[in-house]
PDB file of all heavy atoms in Angstrom:
ATOM      1  N   ASP A 112      40.490   0.080 -44.395  1.00 89.00           N
ATOM      2  CA  ASP A 112      40.208  -0.038 -45.836  1.00 89.00           C
ATOM      3  C   ASP A 112      39.842   1.374 -46.227  1.00 89.00           C
ATOM      4  O   ASP A 112      40.489   2.354 -46.026  1.00 89.00           O
ATOM      5  CB  ASP A 112      39.139  -1.046 -46.124  1.00 89.00           C
ATOM      6  CG  ASP A 112      39.419  -2.351 -45.425  1.00 89.00           C
ATOM      7  OD1 ASP A 112      40.562  -2.652 -45.209  1.00 89.00           O
ATOM      8  OD2 ASP A 112      38.429  -3.201 -45.173  1.00 89.00           O
ATOM      9  N   SER A 113      38.719   1.400 -46.906  1.00 94.00           N
ATOM     10  CA  SER A 113      38.154   2.742 -47.399  1.00 94.00           C
ATOM     11  C   SER A 113      37.441   3.479 -46.189  1.00 94.00           C
ATOM     12  O   SER A 113      37.069   2.753 -45.261  1.00 94.00           O
ATOM     13  CB  SER A 113      37.177   2.467 -48.489  1.00 94.00           C
ATOM     14  OG  SER A 113      36.014   1.870 -48.135  1.00 94.00           O
ATOM     15  N   VAL A 114      37.337   4.702 -46.355  1.00 96.00           N
ATOM     16  CA  VAL A 114      36.523   5.394 -45.214  1.00 96.00           C
ATOM     17  C   VAL A 114      35.089   4.853 -45.205  1.00 96.00           C
ATOM     18  O   VAL A 114      34.581   4.571 -44.109  1.00 96.00           O
ATOM     19  CB  VAL A 114      36.427   6.885 -45.595  1.00 96.00           C
ATOM     20  CG1 VAL A 114      35.395   7.625 -44.758  1.00 96.00           C
ATOM     21  CG2 VAL A 114      37.817   7.524 -45.422  1.00 96.00           C
ATOM     22  N   ARG A 115      34.462   4.627 -46.391  1.00 96.00           N
ATOM     23  CA  ARG A 115      33.137   4.072 -46.358  1.00 96.00           C
ATOM     24  C   ARG A 115      32.963   2.709 -45.703  1.00 96.00           C
ATOM     25  O   ARG A 115      32.141   2.498 -44.846  1.00 96.00           O
ATOM     26  CB  ARG A 115      32.696   3.987 -47.913  1.00 96.00           C
ATOM     27  CG  ARG A 115      31.205   3.547 -47.958  1.00 96.00           C
ATOM     28  CD  ARG A 115      30.790   3.476 -49.412  1.00 96.00           C
ATOM     29  NE  ARG A 115      29.350   3.181 -49.597  1.00 96.00           N
ATOM     30  CZ  ARG A 115      28.992   1.842 -49.587  1.00 96.00           C
ATOM     31  NH1 ARG A 115      29.891   0.841 -49.599  1.00 96.00           N
ATOM     32  NH2 ARG A 115      27.589   1.588 -49.780  1.00 96.00           N
ATOM     33  N   ALA A 116      33.947   1.737 -46.011  1.00 95.00           N
ATOM     34  CA  ALA A 116      33.866   0.473 -45.413  1.00 95.00           C
ATOM     35  C   ALA A 116      34.088   0.584 -43.873  1.00 95.00           C
ATOM     36  O   ALA A 116      33.365  -0.172 -43.150  1.00 95.00           O
ATOM     37  CB  ALA A 116      34.926  -0.411 -46.104  1.00 95.00           C
ATOM     38  N   ASP A 117      35.022   1.361 -43.510  1.00 96.00           N
ATOM     39  CA  ASP A 117      35.288   1.493 -42.051  1.00 96.00           C
ATOM     40  C   ASP A 117      34.009   2.044 -41.320  1.00 96.00           C
ATOM     41  O   ASP A 117      33.685   1.535 -40.230  1.00 96.00           O
ATOM     42  CB  ASP A 117      36.455   2.389 -41.713  1.00 96.00           C
ATOM     43  CG  ASP A 117      37.761   1.590 -41.856  1.00 96.00           C
ATOM     44  OD1 ASP A 117      37.684   0.392 -41.825  1.00 96.00           O
ATOM     45  OD2 ASP A 117      38.807   2.192 -41.929  1.00 96.00           O
ATOM     46  N   LEU A 118      33.431   3.056 -41.898  1.00 96.00           N
ATOM     47  CA  LEU A 118      32.177   3.675 -41.211  1.00 96.00           C
ATOM     48  C   LEU A 118      31.082   2.594 -41.139  1.00 96.00           C
ATOM     49  O   LEU A 118      30.410   2.454 -40.094  1.00 96.00           O
ATOM     50  CB  LEU A 118      31.792   4.929 -41.945  1.00 96.00           C
ATOM     51  CG  LEU A 118      32.655   6.168 -41.850  1.00 96.00           C
ATOM     52  CD1 LEU A 118      32.050   7.258 -42.609  1.00 96.00           C
ATOM     53  CD2 LEU A 118      32.945   6.506 -40.497  1.00 96.00           C
ATOM     54  N   ILE A 119      30.915   1.911 -42.252  1.00 94.00           N
ATOM     55  CA  ILE A 119      29.815   0.916 -42.176  1.00 94.00           C
ATOM     56  C   ILE A 119      30.219  -0.152 -41.204  1.00 94.00           C
ATOM     57  O   ILE A 119      29.266  -0.616 -40.385  1.00 94.00           O
ATOM     58  CB  ILE A 119      29.584   0.278 -43.555  1.00 94.00           C
ATOM     59  CG1 ILE A 119      29.041   1.381 -44.491  1.00 94.00           C
ATOM     60  CG2 ILE A 119      28.863  -0.995 -43.438  1.00 94.00           C
ATOM     61  CD1 ILE A 119      28.970   0.854 -45.908  1.00 94.00           C
ATOM     62  N   ARG A 120      31.381  -0.593 -41.021  1.00 93.00           N
ATOM     63  CA  ARG A 120      31.798  -1.584 -40.040  1.00 93.00           C
ATOM     64  C   ARG A 120      31.485  -0.995 -38.698  1.00 93.00           C
ATOM     65  O   ARG A 120      31.044  -1.790 -37.779  1.00 93.00           O
ATOM     66  CB  ARG A 120      33.357  -1.824 -40.281  1.00 93.00           C
ATOM     67  CG  ARG A 120      33.957  -2.774 -39.230  1.00 93.00           C
ATOM     68  CD  ARG A 120      35.384  -3.011 -39.669  1.00 93.00           C
ATOM     69  NE  ARG A 120      36.075  -3.371 -38.419  1.00 93.00           N
ATOM     70  CZ  ARG A 120      36.114  -4.672 -37.877  1.00 93.00           C
ATOM     71  NH1 ARG A 120      35.363  -5.592 -38.575  1.00 93.00           N
ATOM     72  NH2 ARG A 120      36.730  -5.058 -36.842  1.00 93.00           N
ATOM     73  N   LEU A 121      31.991   0.202 -38.456  1.00 94.00           N
ATOM     74  CA  LEU A 121      31.763   0.728 -37.041  1.00 94.00           C
ATOM     75  C   LEU A 121      30.257   0.903 -36.706  1.00 94.00           C
ATOM     76  O   LEU A 121      29.959   0.528 -35.592  1.00 94.00           O
ATOM     77  CB  LEU A 121      32.367   2.010 -36.919  1.00 94.00           C
ATOM     78  CG  LEU A 121      34.021   2.170 -37.104  1.00 94.00           C
ATOM     79  CD1 LEU A 121      34.507   3.450 -36.884  1.00 94.00           C
ATOM     80  CD2 LEU A 121      34.605   1.113 -36.105  1.00 94.00           C
ATOM     81  N   LEU A 122      29.480   1.320 -37.604  1.00 93.00           N
ATOM     82  CA  LEU A 122      28.091   1.646 -37.334  1.00 93.00           C
ATOM     83  C   LEU A 122      27.210   0.394 -37.314  1.00 93.00           C
ATOM     84  O   LEU A 122      26.156   0.359 -36.531  1.00 93.00           O
ATOM     85  CB  LEU A 122      27.476   2.551 -38.452  1.00 93.00           C
ATOM     86  CG  LEU A 122      27.995   3.983 -38.409  1.00 93.00           C
ATOM     87  CD1 LEU A 122      27.478   4.762 -39.615  1.00 93.00           C
ATOM     88  CD2 LEU A 122      27.582   4.638 -37.098  1.00 93.00           C
ATOM     89  N   SER A 123      27.661  -0.708 -37.976  1.00 88.00           N
ATOM     90  CA  SER A 123      26.833  -1.928 -37.998  1.00 88.00           C
ATOM     91  C   SER A 123      26.698  -2.542 -36.700  1.00 88.00           C
ATOM     92  O   SER A 123      25.912  -3.413 -36.492  1.00 88.00           O
ATOM     93  CB  SER A 123      27.390  -2.874 -39.126  1.00 88.00           C
ATOM     94  OG  SER A 123      28.611  -3.227 -38.732  1.00 88.00           O
ATOM     95  N   VAL A 124      27.560  -2.151 -35.754  1.00 85.00           N
ATOM     96  CA  VAL A 124      27.490  -2.828 -34.405  1.00 85.00           C
ATOM     97  C   VAL A 124      26.831  -1.903 -33.389  1.00 85.00           C
ATOM     98  O   VAL A 124      26.696  -2.213 -32.204  1.00 85.00           O
ATOM     99  CB  VAL A 124      28.868  -3.166 -33.897  1.00 85.00           C
ATOM    100  CG1 VAL A 124      29.446  -4.250 -34.768  1.00 85.00           C
ATOM    101  CG2 VAL A 124      29.726  -2.024 -33.760  1.00 85.00           C
ATOM    102  N   VAL A 125      26.379  -0.785 -33.809  1.00 82.00           N
ATOM    103  CA  VAL A 125      25.696   0.188 -32.885  1.00 82.00           C
ATOM    104  C   VAL A 125      24.521  -0.487 -32.171  1.00 82.00           C
ATOM    105  O   VAL A 125      23.496  -0.679 -32.893  1.00 82.00           O
ATOM    106  CB  VAL A 125      25.293   1.526 -33.472  1.00 82.00           C
ATOM    107  CG1 VAL A 125      24.449   2.326 -32.562  1.00 82.00           C
ATOM    108  CG2 VAL A 125      26.486   2.373 -33.858  1.00 82.00           C
TER     109      VAL A 125
END
Side-chain angles (χ1 to χ4, degrees):
Chain A
D112 306 340
S113 68
V114 169
R115 183 175 183 275
D117 274 348
L118 289 180
I119 289 174
R120 175 177 159 80
L121 297 183
L122 288 174
S123 61
V124 297
V125 169

